[in-house]
């Protein structure tokens, strides 16, 4: 039972990272019907931006908390600006082209980012400083650190903030309208281009935040970290019903739990086999994803 609870806590921690990234996949798909394959690399760039701040700042004593906040803000903003730049430079000129061109463009952006960071970092691993407190909330058979609690609460807070933005603001309403019918939204006077850019910015900010959280938790990153983590998050978005925000958040946490239990009870080498096996099995039973039919409005 203690093993089960420990894997549960670990899975929730990992799952919140994946949920934040999966939300970005679903938001972009909701407004553009685009699988943004570069999203995982935006996550990776955010993790490096956070590392740059932590490397240059003082991480001792009372300055530690300030450095962590600065790293999270830097990772979020750099990723947000990068996402908007990708939309303007690479995707906007292809919006009227066949969908396959947009898809190939996304793959090209992904490889360009990955190879660019690979050259800049000489393909090596980079280590985050151990700045998160190691004190334990529970230190018995089941170990829960304060750091895990903070990361989970931060991720859930961001998800709630996104939900409030989508459901309680004019711009969020415009995003939902665009997701339902882009032509009707344009006829109603909605500035579609601005809404799309806002969607990319918010989705990328979430990915960048997740990137810094990932680096703080695992303390090691490299240029390829966005590929596998992004693929798992994309799996979560599809499993939840891509375009569905609630589904992306729930499925992200579910994939994190599957990863943790698979690594704990089977082997970490089999984790991805089991994750993608679950995806295939779930889609065979529910082709539109777990929440694909329950929520009508998509963003």
């Amino acid at each position: 039972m203690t093993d089960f609870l420990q894997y549960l806590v670990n899975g929730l921690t990992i799952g919140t990272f994946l949920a934040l990234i999966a939300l970005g996949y679903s938001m972009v798909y909701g407004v553009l019907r685009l699988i943004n394959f570069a999203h995982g690399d935006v996550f990776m760039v955010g993790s490096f931006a956070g590392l740059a701040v932590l490397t240059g700042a003082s991480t001792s004593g009372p300055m530690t908390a300030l450095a962590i906040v600065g790293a999270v803000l830097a990772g979020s903003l750099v990723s947000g600006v990068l996402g908007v730049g990708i939309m303007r430079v690479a995707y906007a000129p292809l919006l009227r082209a066949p969908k396959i061109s947009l898809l190939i463009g996304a793959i090209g952006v992904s490889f360009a980012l990955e190879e660019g960071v690979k050259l800049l970092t000489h393909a090596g691993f980079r280590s985050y400083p151990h700045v998160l407190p190691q004190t334990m909330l529970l230190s018995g058979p089941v170990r829960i650190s304060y750091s895990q609690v903070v990361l989970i609460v931060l991720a859930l807070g961001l998800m709630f903030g996104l939900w409030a933005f989508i459901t309680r603001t004019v711009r969020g309403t415009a995003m939902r309208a665009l997701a339902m019918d882009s032509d009707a939204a344009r006829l109603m006077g909605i500035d579609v281009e601005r809404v799309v850019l806002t969607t990319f910015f918010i989705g990328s900010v979430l990915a960048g935040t997740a990137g810094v959280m990932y680096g703080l938790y695992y303390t090691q990153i490299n240029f390829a970290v966005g590929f596998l983590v992004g693929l798992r998050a994309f799996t979560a978005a599809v499993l939840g019903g891509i375009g569905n925000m609630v589904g992306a958040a729930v499925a992200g946490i579910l994939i994190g739990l599957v990863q943790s239990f698979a690594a704990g009870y089977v082997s970490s080498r089999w984790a991805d086999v089991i994750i993608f096996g679950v995806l295939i099995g779930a889609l065979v039973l529910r082709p539109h994803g777990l929440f694909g039919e329950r929520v009508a409005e998509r963003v």
Side-chain angles (χ1 to χ4, degrees):
M1 188 62 184
T2 55
D3 286 345
F4 177 86
L5 293 175
Q6 187 64 63
Y7 300 149
L8 179 66
V9 173
N10 295 342
L12 286 174
T13 308
I14 301 167
T16 52
F17 303 161
L18 297 178
L20 289 178
I21 309 169
L23 283 168
Y25 277 112
S26 268
M27 291 175 69
V28 170
Y29 183 84
V31 298
L32 285 184
R33 298 297 185 267
L34 165 68
I35 306 296
N36 183 16
F37 283 108
H39 193 60
D41 298 288
V42 172
F43 156 86
M44 176 267 294
V45 171
S47 69
F48 273 98
L51 174 61
V53 171
L54 288 175
T55 303
S58 171
T59 55
S60 60
M63 297 300 292
T64 303
L66 192 60
I68 293 174
V69 172
V72 172
L73 290 177
S76 304
L77 290 177
V78 168
S79 292
V81 172
L82 178 62
V84 171
I86 290 171
M87 173 59 204
R88 279 192 176 279
V89 175
Y91 298 160
L94 297 174
L95 290 181
R96 298 185 185 281
K99 287 294 182 185
I100 187 66
S101 300
L102 199 55
L103 192 65
I104 293 172
I107 295 173
V109 172
S110 173
F111 278 111
L113 288 175
E114 191 172 312
E115 291 299 315
V117 175
K118 179 181 177 180
L119 289 173
L120 291 174
T121 60
H122 305 289
F125 282 88
R126 294 290 185 273
S127 298
Y128 264 64
H130 294 268
V131 292
L132 290 180
Q134 301 301 313
T135 51
M136 292 290 169
L137 178 65
L138 292 177
S139 57
V142 179
R143 298 169 61 85
I144 304 175
S145 66
Y146 282 106
S147 302
Q148 286 178 300
V149 175
V150 170
L151 292 176
I152 292 173
V153 170
L154 174 60
L156 293 178
L158 289 172
M159 291 181 217
F160 177 78
L162 177 62
W163 173 82
F165 176 81
I166 295 296
T167 59
R168 298 288 186 270
T169 66
V170 174
R171 186 56 60 86
T173 303
M175 291 169 66
R176 286 189 291 150
L178 182 59
M180 294 172 71
D181 191 327
S182 60
D183 292 332
R186 194 183 296 273
L187 290 173
M188 293 298 292
I190 293 175
D191 188 339
V192 172
E193 286 73 21
R194 187 178 293 272
V195 173
V196 169
L197 290 176
T198 302
T199 304
F200 267 83
F201 180 77
I202 294 175
S204 300
V205 163
L206 294 177
T209 305
V212 178
M213 293 166 66
Y214 180 94
L216 290 170
Y217 186 67
Y218 287 105
T219 69
Q220 199 168 58
I221 59 174
N222 72 346
F223 70 94
V225 70
F227 176 74
L228 187 56
V229 176
L231 197 57
R232 289 170 181 162
F234 175 65
T235 300
V238 173
L239 182 62
I242 190 160
N244 185 305
M245 291 180 55
V246 175
V250 173
I253 294 174
L254 179 62
I255 291 294
L257 291 172
V258 171
Q259 179 182 339
S260 178
F261 285 119
Y265 286 119
V266 185
S267 167
S268 58
R269 293 180 300 176
W270 283 87
D272 287 319
V273 176
I274 296 173
I275 288 173
F276 295 113
V278 169
L279 172 67
I280 294 169
L283 291 182
V284 167
L285 297 174
R286 293 182 64 85
H288 298 292
L290 298 178
F291 289 78
E293 295 177 355
R294 292 183 58 185
V295 179
E297 293 182 343
R298 294 178 171 182
V299 171

